[in-house]
Amino acid sequence: METGTGTRGYRPIGDYALIGDGHTAALVARDGSIDWCCWPRFDSPALFCRLLDARKGGWFRVGPAGEHRAERAYVRATNVLATTFETGAGKFRLTDFMPVERLDESRRGEDIAPSHKIIRLVEGLEGAPDVEISFRPTFDFALAETALTPHRHGAVARAGGEALALG
């Protein structure tokens, strides 16, 4: 089983891959956990920061339940990360990326804009493996009190005047 964590609960930095949209980025661990992301820009406070504080920092994990093997690679020459998980019950692929929108080409130096989304696509490949989803954002580097409420399509996290939807 790949636990991905050391003796103190921290993963080695080599366990992470990077996805981004040119305005922000996220670090995705080999087990499918986003453990670092400043949102919505690089200079914004971290929303997922388990990389800094394994106990209090937030995360967003989509991955297998239990023992597994993982292989991952970027899709062709893109920033789209594809991770294939194999368990005793089967195989699935998790594809992670942050889409961008093309701007009017007359705006020099600003040819893309963020969509303000992280897309996590799960695709069954073989059998019926169990997939776990855990969503625990912590606003402002885990300093703000974050409330998580269920929504008919997922959940909404709120802290102060900020909100994040999982759907």
Side-chain angles (χ1 to χ4, degrees):
M1 177 179 183
E2 289 186 15
T3 61
T5 57
T7 58
R8 294 184 14 201
Y10 294 97
R11 303 173 203 288
I13 195 66
D15 192 51
Y16 290 97
L18 182 78
I19 61 170
D21 62 9
H23 297 267
T24 194
L27 291 175
V28 183
R30 187 172 295 281
D31 74 345
S33 182
I34 294 176
D35 289 348
W36 179 260
C37 183
C38 292
W39 194 261
R41 299 177 350 179
F42 287 115
D43 61 350
S44 300
L47 177 63
F48 302 117
C49 59
R50 184 160 58 177
L51 184 75
L52 296 180
D53 190 326
R55 189 176 56 79
K56 289 176 37 180
W59 70 87
F60 176 19
R61 181 175 183 267
V62 177
E67 293 187 28
H68 66 277
R69 287 195 353 244
E71 291 182 17
R72 64 184 178 178
Y74 290 101
V75 178
R76 295 181 297 282
T78 69
N79 197 18
V80 176
L81 179 66
T83 306
T84 302
F85 294 105
E86 186 173 354
T87 73
K91 239 186 201 183
F92 69 95
R93 180 180 304 121
L94 172 63
T95 303
D96 289 309
F97 64 99
M98 292 181 183
V100 295
E101 297 176 8
R102 184 169 299 279
L103 292 175
D104 181 343
E105 291 185 26
S106 67
R107 295 176 67 178
R108 288 184 79 109
E110 297 180 30
D111 57 343
I112 61 170
S115 66
H116 300 293
K117 294 179 184 174
I118 298 174
I119 305 294
R120 310 200 79 193
L121 175 65
V122 177
E123 178 184 9
L125 301 174
E126 286 179 20
D130 290 330
V131 177
E132 292 180 333
I133 299 173
S134 57
F135 180 68
R136 185 178 176 258
T138 53
F139 292 86
D140 195 17
F141 296 97
L143 295 173
E145 187 69 31
T146 302
L148 189 61
T149 54
H151 185 273
R152 72 175 200 202
H153 296 294
V156 176
R158 289 186 175 86
E162 296 184 285
L164 176 72
L166 169 68

